[in-house]
């Protein structure tokens, strides 16, 4: 089957920052509960989740909206500081620029569906010049209303923003919760990118029908390309 559009997760997918998010949450979780998140907790309760969900897990109760705003912004400020302190890695994933250029040149509908908040999304747009490839108004992010992954909502909304059915779209994900979200949304093809995990992990997930190590490996023949007049 040829697909009509593509939806990218962002963190750990287009930008390989999982280690920075881990480090920031480890440091901030000590403030919230006195101990750091473990690697297992990171996988189960952090990746693909909203700040509210993570904070609720960390403190063991439902946080107030004021707590979510305060704690979330403090953690994200710490994370952005770490991004600038690691400039050697502060760039899009290998092959991403060339792949995004290909999508743009061939008018393939594309967007981003991320559980990052607007402050971080604006940070990425500015520093990675995402508006060169994406209609920023179609990017879906955590606005306090969309349920976190693995709920399907974010990918359902992203497909709708592209004017496509979920089954007509490819999703590129790295997080287990994001893969589950895409599966629940009825996405046509789910491709896992090995930014943090090994291919073996993704091979055990039936709904993952493609695995890449970077965007140079992405099969461009998956798309339905309209002939240029």
């Amino acid at each position: 089957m040829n697909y009509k559009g593509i939806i990218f997760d962002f963190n750990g997918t287009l930008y390989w920052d999982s280690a920075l998010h881990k480090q920031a949450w480890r440091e901030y979780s000590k403030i919230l509960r006195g101990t750091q998140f473990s690697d297992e907790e990171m996988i189960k309760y952090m990746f693909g989740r909203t700040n509210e969900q993570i904070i609720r897990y960390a403190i063991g109760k439902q946080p107030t909206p004021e707590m979510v705003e305060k704690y979330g912004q403090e953690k994200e400020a710490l994370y952005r500081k770490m991004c600038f302190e690691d400039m050697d890695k502060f760039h899009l994933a290998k092959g991403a620029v060339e792949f995004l250029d290909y999508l743009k040149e061939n008018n393939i509908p594309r967007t981003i569906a991320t559980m990052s908040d607007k402050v971080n999304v604006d940070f990425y747009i500015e520093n990675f010049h995402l508006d060169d490839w994406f209609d920023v108004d179609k990017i879906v992010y955590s606005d306090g209303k969309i349920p976190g992954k693995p709920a399907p909502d974010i990918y359902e909304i992203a497909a709708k923003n592209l004017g496509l059915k979920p089954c007509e779209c490819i999703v590129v994900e790295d997080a287990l919760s994001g893969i589950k979200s895409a599966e629940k949304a009825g996405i046509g093809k789910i491709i896992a990118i090995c930014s943090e995990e090994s291919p073996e992990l993704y091979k055990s997930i039936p709904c993952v029908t493609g695995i890449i190590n970077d965007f140079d490996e992405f099969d461009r023949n998956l798309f339905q390309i309209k002939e240029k007049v």
Side-chain angles (χ1 to χ4, degrees):
M1 178 176 177
N2 293 124
Y3 298 92
K4 294 182 179 180
I6 185 167
I7 306 167
F8 298 91
D9 172 49
F10 191 80
N11 305 99
T13 301
L14 281 174
Y15 173 39
W16 289 11
D17 61 343
S18 297
L20 291 178
H21 273 293
K22 282 184 178 180
Q23 185 180 349
W25 271 118
R26 279 198 180 97
E27 291 193 20
Y28 202 71
S29 62
K30 286 192 295 185
I31 296 172
L32 290 177
R33 67 176 192 179
T35 57
Q36 291 185 350
F37 284 156
S38 67
D39 286 342
E40 182 180 354
E41 287 177 309
M42 293 282 186
I43 294 171
K44 291 180 67 176
Y45 302 110
M46 194 196 83
F47 291 124
R49 307 303 176 105
T50 64
N51 281 345
E52 179 181 1
Q53 290 173 312
I54 299 169
I55 292 166
R56 182 172 65 229
Y57 172 76
I59 65 176
K61 63 180 181 181
Q62 180 63 41
T64 65
E66 293 75 19
M67 291 167 68
V68 173
E69 178 67 17
K70 179 179 184 295
Y71 295 161
Q73 290 307 318
E74 287 177 354
K75 177 268 169 182
E76 299 305 345
L78 176 62
Y79 156 78
R80 291 191 295 273
K81 179 174 178 288
M82 290 177 175
C83 289
F84 283 135
E85 291 173 347
D86 194 13
M87 291 302 293
D88 288 344
K89 296 180 181 178
F90 192 47
H91 55 77
L92 294 179
K94 183 175 182 290
V97 169
E98 294 79 7
F99 183 50
L100 292 172
D101 284 343
Y102 169 83
L103 297 174
K104 181 178 179 178
E105 289 165 6
N106 288 280
N107 296 313
I108 297 169
R110 59 208 173 272
T111 194
I112 293 168
T114 174
M115 291 317 301
S116 291
D117 66 8
K118 189 175 188 302
V119 175
N120 276 357
V121 170
D122 288 344
F123 173 74
Y124 302 137
I125 291 169
E126 177 181 357
N127 286 280
F128 296 129
H129 308 289
L130 296 181
D131 52 347
D132 286 348
W133 302 287
F134 296 99
D135 179 345
V136 297
D137 292 331
K138 293 181 179 178
I139 293 175
V140 190
Y141 57 87
S142 179
D143 60 0
K145 299 176 183 177
I146 298 174
K149 301 172 184 177
D153 304 57
I154 192 166
Y155 282 120
E156 293 171 344
I157 295 168
K160 185 177 180 180
N161 284 356
L162 295 179
L164 299 174
K165 300 174 183 177
C167 64
E168 297 175 317
C169 299
I170 297 172
V171 157
V172 185
E173 262 284 0
D174 69 307
L176 298 181
S177 60
I179 290 169
K180 191 68 176 177
S181 172
E183 180 187 21
K184 288 181 178 179
I187 292 297
K189 187 174 184 65
I190 302 171
I191 295 178
I193 188 166
C194 303
S195 61
E196 186 82 4
E197 305 294 342
S198 69
E200 283 66 35
L201 173 69
Y202 301 118
K203 288 176 182 177
S204 67
I205 305 173
C207 68
V208 173
T209 54
I211 301 172
I212 58 175
N213 291 296
D214 57 56
F215 287 100
D216 286 337
E217 297 182 359
F218 198 104
D219 183 3
R220 287 149 169 78
N221 293 319
L222 291 171
F223 292 107
Q224 179 179 313
I225 304 296
K226 295 180 181 178
E227 291 186 14
K228 296 181 181 179
V229 179

